[in-house]
Amino acid sequence: MAWTRRPALAGLTMVLVAALAACGGGGGGADREPSGHAGAAKGSGAHAGRPDGRPRTVAGVRDAVRHVTRQTARSTRPHLVRTCASESRKVRHTGRSKGRTRTWYTTEKHQDCTKVRRGTETYTRVVRPERWCVRLDDVNGEPRTDDVWYRVRRDAYTKVDEADARAKVTVEPVARGC
C-alpha cells in the first residue's frame, strides 16, 4: 500500500522544488546586501551586479561635502592575565599478552591555563567612526533627485572636494546617507 504513494509523493516534491527555485527561495532577496547580511536597509549600498538593477556608480552635480571626524573616548575594561597550573596525574595502563593482563602506572604532567582578571586597563574606544560624505544634485541625470547624500571612500571624497562647485562628478558610494 505504501509503495503506491511514492510516485505521487516524488511528483509533489519535484513540483515544490521547482516552485521554490522559480520564486527565488534560494536565500537572497532584493533588500539583501551582496555580502549576505540580512537586515541591511534597502538602499544602504551600491554594488555592481545587484539584482535590483541599481548602478555601481552614481553621477550628479556636486552640491556639498561633509567630513565627519572620528570621535573617541577613554574607557576601562578588565585586564585578563593568563595563569597556568601544572599538575601530575597518575595514569593506569593495561595490556594483554598471552592471556595475561598486565597493569602499570605512569605519571603524566598536565597543565591547565585560564585567563584571570587582574585589575583594569584603559583603552581608546571609538564612539563615532570617521566618515566622508558627498551631497549630489541631479543624480544620474534626473533633475527631481536633489540633495542626496552618499557616504564615499576618502579618495573619492578628496576628488569631489577638489572639484569646482556645481561640477559634474561620478562617485562609487559605500552607503547611502551620511
Side-chain angles (χ1 to χ4, degrees), residues 17-100:
V17 168
L20 283 175
C23 292
D31 59 338
R32 195 175 187 111
E33 288 296 307
S35 61
H37 296 292
K42 214 177 210 184
S44 64
H47 301 282
R50 294 190 56 113
D52 57 2
R54 277 189 273 162
R56 174 183 205 121
T57 59
V58 293
V61 177
R62 178 190 187 273
D63 190 10
V65 292
R66 179 185 295 163
H67 176 229
V68 180
T69 59
R70 183 175 89 148
Q71 188 176 12
T72 60
R74 301 286 287 168
S75 189
T76 59
R77 62 183 169 207
H79 180 68
L80 300 176
V81 177
R82 183 177 171 186
T83 59
C84 298
S86 299
E87 61 182 37
S88 298
R89 293 180 182 166
K90 188 175 181 181
V91 180
R92 178 181 169 176
H93 304 278
T94 58
R96 286 183 69 92
S97 175
K98 299 180 185 175
R100 294 183 57 170

Side-chain angles (χ1 to χ4, degrees), residues 12-173:
L12 182 64
T13 303
M14 287 181 55
V15 169
L16 183 63
V17 168
L20 283 175
C23 292
D31 59 338
R32 195 175 187 111
E33 288 296 307
S35 61
H37 296 292
K42 214 177 210 184
S44 64
H47 301 282
R50 294 190 56 113
D52 57 2
R54 277 189 273 162
R56 174 183 205 121
T57 59
V58 293
V61 177
R62 178 190 187 273
D63 190 10
V65 292
R66 179 185 295 163
H67 176 229
V68 180
T69 59
R70 183 175 89 148
Q71 188 176 12
T72 60
R74 301 286 287 168
S75 189
T76 59
R77 62 183 169 207
H79 180 68
L80 300 176
V81 177
R82 183 177 171 186
T83 59
C84 298
S86 299
E87 61 182 37
S88 298
R89 293 180 182 166
K90 188 175 181 181
V91 180
R92 178 181 169 176
H93 304 278
T94 58
R96 286 183 69 92
S97 175
K98 299 180 185 175
R100 294 183 57 170
T101 302
R102 190 170 76 91
T103 303
W104 70 96
Y105 296 91
T106 59
T107 303
E108 294 181 358
K109 294 190 186 262
H110 181 70
Q111 191 175 40
D112 282 330
C113 295
T114 58
K115 289 192 175 187
V116 179
R117 181 178 173 173
R118 289 263 165 81
T120 59
E121 62 184 4
T122 59
Y123 71 103
T124 303
R125 180 173 50 96
V126 177
V127 177
R128 181 183 65 208
E130 190 171 21
R131 293 188 306 253
W132 297 275
C133 302
V134 174
R135 186 170 68 187
L136 300 177
D137 288 341
D138 300 338
V139 177
N140 291 332
E142 295 183 26
R144 294 186 317 263
T145 54
D146 286 344
D147 298 330
V148 181
W149 282 99
Y150 292 103
R151 193 174 322 153
V152 294
R153 291 194 317 266
R154 183 177 185 167
D155 56 340
Y157 170 83
T158 305
K159 190 185 335 177
V160 172
D161 191 32
E162 292 170 353
D164 294 331
R166 306 300 296 169
K168 185 159 176 95
V169 293
T170 303
V171 294
E172 185 177 341

